[in-house]
Amino acid sequence: MTRDVTLSYAFGFVQKKMAASSGVKVPRNFRLLEELEEGQKGVGDGTVSWGLEDDEDMTLTRWTGMIIGPARTNYENRIYSLKVECGPKYPEVPPTVRFVTKISMNGINNSNGMVDARSIPILAKWQNSYSIKVVLQELRRLMMSKENMKLPQPPEGQTYSN
Amino acid sequence: MAENSGTDPAVETNTEENAAASATIIKVTVKTPKDKEEIAIAEDSSVSQFKEEISKRFKANQDQLVLIFAGKILKDGDTLGQHGIKDGLTVHLVIKTAQKTSGGGSSQTSASSGPGPSQGNTDGSANSSPAGNLGTPQGSGPSPTPTQPPNMLAGFGDLSGLANLGMGSANFMELQQQMQRQLMSNPEMLSQIMENPLVQSMMSNPDLMRQMIVANPQMQQLMERNPEISHMLNNPELMRQTMELARNPAMMQEMMRNQDRALSNLESIPGGYNALRRMYTDIQEPMFSAAREQFGNNPFSALGGNADNSGAQPSRTENREPLPNPWGPPDTAATTTSGTATTTSSTTSSTTPSVSNPLGISSSSLGNGMFNSPGMQSLMQQISENPQLMQNMLSAPYMRTMMQSLAQNPDIASQAPTPTPAPTPTPAAGTNTAQQQLMQQMLQMFAGGNASTPTPEVRFQQQLEQLSAMGFINREANLQALIATGGDINAAIERLLGSQPS
């Protein structure tokens, strides 16, 4: 990461601490920087991972995510790659999420992997305290639901062509 | 000129490792869903070096390791620096289990909708798969062994695919092996095949099914030894039910499960254990051997041995423990019984087990055994050698109508069933007539049974007369009943009596 970004991160951190206590909306970049750090530190149980798609991306818009398929489902042992796009209004609006690895799951468009925001609860009822991590974890949780866990899956390693 | 090539760039990996001390060492946390380890590695290492360290620490093969950092998979050729991996950061690790193909295997098993699987993938690498869905108690996962039998069922599902390769490829055996492999590995494909109207119509014709089963020499042997089996075969209701099952893998699984449960409960009934054993050794074993002879070992062969060891005294209480996973790794595969009870041989209790799957026809084993007859192969040969026939088959969506026109053209129709003289792989000439009959019926069935075939009326002429002599005047109903029972007068009468308005 360039020094500029790191510096702005440092400032952002302080600002966020103040903002959180006073209820002010947190600026987008600071939030995303925080998420970036979390992604690199591997917060959580290690079943999801996320990071910038391009390290030089100053706008912090395009992210890649990874979900490890939960055990005892048809997604087991597979690694699902996703693209997450945090628009300019993030985190007030939810990010757009798209699967790169082919998957068969309710709420995921079969032909291009787009996640339908209306079918995924936290995307439909987005709050600005949610984050990329939360989205990935939720998708993983949905993989374990009765309606999804036994869906026959395409052969491993296939991706959507776009 | 140096004999010691220690500084040779070709062995730079070694030197780099030795020189690791000179680069900055960073501590990277490697996290699996279960575990966490801190690994010290040089900052400028490559991913493969990192994996080497990891494989030592986690005691796994380097090939099984998949590393993820910040949402990206780390490829062996990359360096840690490329991904921005620094001191104190966490990398996620997934250890792939042995039965899958190694990382990100881009298999080209594309299941085309319509006429079954296409044969684009010739190396037939098996996919990781919930192979258990197929309801076949196979041992290990679908590892491609060259001795795997041809799968005629898949062959029927994709005649057009065959045509693409039929001419040039080695032999049909191999083709079908591959198809079978793919089939086994991809349940989705299997269900697609099942949905193929061709397969379905084939399955819904009990006569045809029966003939096919009978044509298998092992089956014939089996039938001689156990007349009960031939009874079963002749009971169309049963056949229908079984085929219905075979068509629907999910239902099949369910049924098998119920069977297994019922059977295991049977154990606790006095004398039940012996009945089970008898049932198994007399019927199940040879049947399964016949049906799955080349599927690797008979998964139940060890069961006989185990049964002895597992104690002469079965517990008197109901068996509540979960059944062992029949589709697990090979060493555990032997300890399962699959429900294939025959009505007449379960003497202890007449209520259980229900005869839902008497022949143990699993959707995939159908391809084996039954279809593995020379007649089928020569049919395939026919098709590939007769371009017109093949042409017809190629236009898959119109296959039915094509077949119909085919059947209407008597020349081609008669040409097809006749095995060509020399180049057929068919060994036994004695089976020819049976095969011919079979094939003829097949074609008729394909064509949807048009006028050139003996209609049920004609076939059941004699029975119809008998029925009307007995006083069943409703010819239509008689005919229906006869068709339903496959010509069995007694059963037809029962049917008629049962459905008579009071």
Side-chain angles (χ1 to χ4, degrees):
Chain A
M1 271 221 304
T2 66
R3 198 163 43 115
D4 299 346
V5 185
T6 327
L7 269 177
S8 48
Y9 170 68
F11 279 123
F13 193 73
V14 174
Q15 195 139 11
K16 170 159 196 211
K17 289 283 181 217
M18 291 167 39
S21 49
S22 60
V24 170
K25 281 194 300 189
V26 180
R28 171 186 182 271
N29 284 1
F30 301 142
R31 247 295 284 276
L32 287 170
L33 282 172
E34 202 173 66
E35 295 197 43
L36 183 63
E37 196 194 7
E38 265 193 2
Q40 292 182 335
K41 288 231 177 92
V43 175
D45 57 359
T47 49
V48 298
S49 172
W50 64 98
L52 272 181
E53 184 174 327
D54 177 6
D55 282 334
E56 306 296 317
D57 179 9
M58 290 291 119
T59 62
L60 305 175
T61 307
R62 265 178 288 283
W63 296 68
T64 59
M66 198 132 317
I67 300 178
I68 299 172
R72 288 177 297 283
T73 66
N74 280 3
Y75 308 98
E76 180 168 14
N77 258 325
R78 298 205 192 189
I79 298 172
Y80 290 95
S81 180
L82 298 91
K83 283 208 200 306
V84 180
E85 199 159 307
C86 298
K89 296 224 187 83
Y90 181 88
E92 300 307 318
V93 305
T96 53
V97 187
R98 187 168 78 77
F99 271 85
V100 173
T101 316
K102 272 202 180 159
I103 185 173
S104 174
M105 187 168 149
N106 282 310
I108 317 281
N109 183 316
N110 243 323
S111 51
N112 61 11
M114 287 297 301
V115 174
D116 183 10
R118 296 159 299 183
S119 325
I120 309 293
I122 59 160
L123 291 177
K125 297 201 172 60
W126 177 261
Q127 297 181 12
N128 61 9
S129 55
Y130 293 160
S131 62
I132 299 174
K133 172 178 83 173
V134 171
V135 175
L136 294 177
Q137 286 178 331
E138 173 75 358
L139 285 171
R140 187 170 190 274
R141 194 184 63 76
L142 287 172
M143 288 184 193
M144 298 196 273
S145 72
K146 286 244 181 308
E147 50 168 18
N148 283 323
M149 64 191 290
K150 291 227 185 286
L151 288 176
Q153 294 301 316
E156 207 168 334
Q158 286 192 349
T159 59
Y160 293 105
S161 48
N162 51 356
Chain B
M1 199 149 79
E3 315 125 290
N4 177 9
S5 54
T7 52
D8 188 354
V11 288
E12 86 176 328
T13 48
N14 281 339
T15 54
E16 221 175 84
E17 248 178 51
N18 295 339
S22 59
T24 342
I25 305 273
I26 54 174
K27 288 208 186 45
V28 182
T29 308
V30 179
K31 222 185 199 180
T32 66
K34 302 194 181 86
D35 234 341
K36 193 158 89 156
E37 292 270 352
E38 211 175 78
I39 298 199
I41 187 102
E43 198 171 25
D44 50 6
S45 315
S46 67
V47 171
S48 46
Q49 286 173 317
F50 193 30
K51 278 192 178 173
E52 225 180 284
E53 282 298 317
I54 295 178
S55 70
K56 285 187 227 156
R57 196 75 77 84
F58 283 86
K59 314 241 186 318
N61 208 330
Q62 226 171 310
D63 297 330
Q64 295 174 285
L65 306 178
V66 179
L67 288 172
I68 298 171
F69 178 70
K72 295 199 199 76
I73 295 185
L74 307 181
K75 305 216 192 326
D76 285 1
D78 300 339
T79 66
L80 299 185
Q82 245 175 291
H83 288 276
I85 300 177
K86 299 201 188 352
D87 190 33
L89 296 183
T90 302
V91 172
H92 298 293
L93 171 68
V94 178
I95 302 181
K96 286 193 166 284
T97 48
Q99 62 212 71
K100 321 281 185 208
T101 55
S102 60
S106 58
S107 63
Q108 288 111 14
T109 50
S110 53
S112 59
S113 57
S118 72
Q119 270 283 307
N121 179 10
T122 49
D123 81 313
S125 62
N127 275 324
S128 60
S129 66
N133 293 3
L134 297 180
T136 317
Q138 271 214 340
S140 57
S143 52
T145 52
T147 54
Q148 270 196 357
N151 183 354
M152 282 293 176
L153 186 63
F156 271 104
D158 183 21
L159 294 175
S160 57
L162 259 188
N164 293 336
L165 309 172
M167 301 307 206
S169 105
N171 53 19
F172 282 108
M173 306 284 271
E174 216 178 78
L175 267 184
Q176 284 136 15
Q177 278 171 31
Q178 288 165 10
M179 273 198 267
Q180 170 130 18
R181 249 175 269 141
Q182 288 180 10
L183 202 63
M184 300 303 287
S185 59
N186 188 354
E188 203 179 59
M189 223 191 289
L190 183 70
S191 46
Q192 278 180 356
I193 288 182
M194 287 298 145
E195 282 158 31
N196 185 351
L198 200 73
V199 172
Q200 283 203 343
S201 61
M202 191 157 55
M203 293 241 218
S204 43
N205 182 347
D207 281 343
L208 195 59
M209 294 302 290
R210 187 157 58 85
Q211 275 205 359
M212 288 185 180
I213 294 174
V214 171
N216 183 349
Q218 274 118 340
M219 267 304 174
Q220 283 170 357
Q221 250 185 358
L222 201 62
M223 278 171 50
E224 272 167 57
R225 281 191 282 152
N226 294 306
E228 297 135 347
I229 294 188
S230 45
H231 283 170
M232 267 196 317
L233 278 175
N234 290 332
N235 180 353
E237 203 52 61
L238 219 57
M239 291 297 294
R240 221 190 304 277
Q241 217 178 359
T242 311
M243 284 185 302
E244 198 54 52
L245 262 190
R247 257 195 267 190
N248 184 349
M251 204 188 343
M252 160 90 54
Q253 216 179 350
E254 203 46 48
M255 208 47 91
M256 302 272 258
R257 183 119 189 108
N258 294 343
Q259 287 281 315
D260 295 348
R261 275 250 163 259
L263 275 183
S264 72
N265 281 340
L266 197 61
E267 257 190 314
S268 60
I269 299 173
Y273 188 70
N274 292 332
L276 268 181
R277 284 211 67 189
R278 214 181 331 135
M279 191 174 8
Y280 168 70
T281 47
D282 287 349
I283 292 169
Q284 203 166 321
E285 189 172 344
M287 195 174 330
F288 271 108
S289 306
R292 292 198 186 83
E293 52 178 339
Q294 279 146 339
F295 256 63
N297 321 322
N298 178 358
F300 306 104
S301 56
L303 182 59
N306 283 352
D308 286 330
N309 303 337
S310 65
Q313 282 299 333
S315 69
R316 292 289 168 212
T317 59
E318 195 183 328
N319 179 6
R320 282 192 198 283
E321 49 177 69
L323 290 163
N325 180 2
W327 303 294
D331 42 83
T332 60
T335 59
T336 184
T337 50
S338 182
T340 56
T342 62
T343 39
T344 48
S345 61
S346 68
T347 50
T348 49
S349 70
S350 49
T351 50
T352 64
S354 61
V355 188
S356 52
N357 187 1
L359 300 172
I361 294 180
S362 73
S363 31
S364 50
S365 78
L366 252 188
N368 188 16
M370 328 290 188
F371 285 59
N372 185 12
S373 50
M376 291 304 142
Q377 291 169 15
S378 70
L379 175 66
M380 290 300 149
Q381 193 100 19
Q382 298 307 317
I383 291 170
S384 60
E385 283 173 7
N386 183 349
Q388 174 131 25
L389 204 58
M390 199 178 58
Q391 194 78 25
N392 292 339
M393 306 232 179
L394 272 181
S395 41
Y398 309 107
M399 226 193 277
R400 285 281 186 126
T401 37
M402 282 303 174
M403 282 303 151
Q404 241 171 355
S405 51
L406 178 77
Q408 275 160 15
N409 184 344
D411 299 341
I412 297 183
S414 58
Q415 216 179 64
T418 328
T420 52
T424 60
T426 329
T431 58
N432 259 357
T433 43
Q435 308 305 349
Q436 277 187 39
Q437 245 185 356
L438 206 53
M439 285 185 274
Q440 183 133 36
Q441 241 206 359
M442 192 108 51
L443 280 174
Q444 288 162 6
M445 189 270 306
F446 289 165
N450 65 2
S452 61
T453 75
T455 63
E457 244 189 66
V458 172
R459 278 188 356 217
F460 299 136
Q461 185 70 20
Q462 192 202 16
Q463 287 97 326
L464 275 171
E465 281 173 9
Q466 283 184 310
L467 281 177
S468 53
M470 277 188 245
F472 292 102
I473 25 182
N474 187 348
R475 200 169 158 80
E476 262 308 305
N478 292 355
L479 195 56
Q480 293 297 327
L482 280 170
I483 294 176
T485 60
D488 182 350
I489 295 193
N490 289 330
I493 291 177
E494 294 204 16
R495 254 188 124 77
L496 289 168
L497 288 174
S499 64
Q500 260 187 10
S502 54

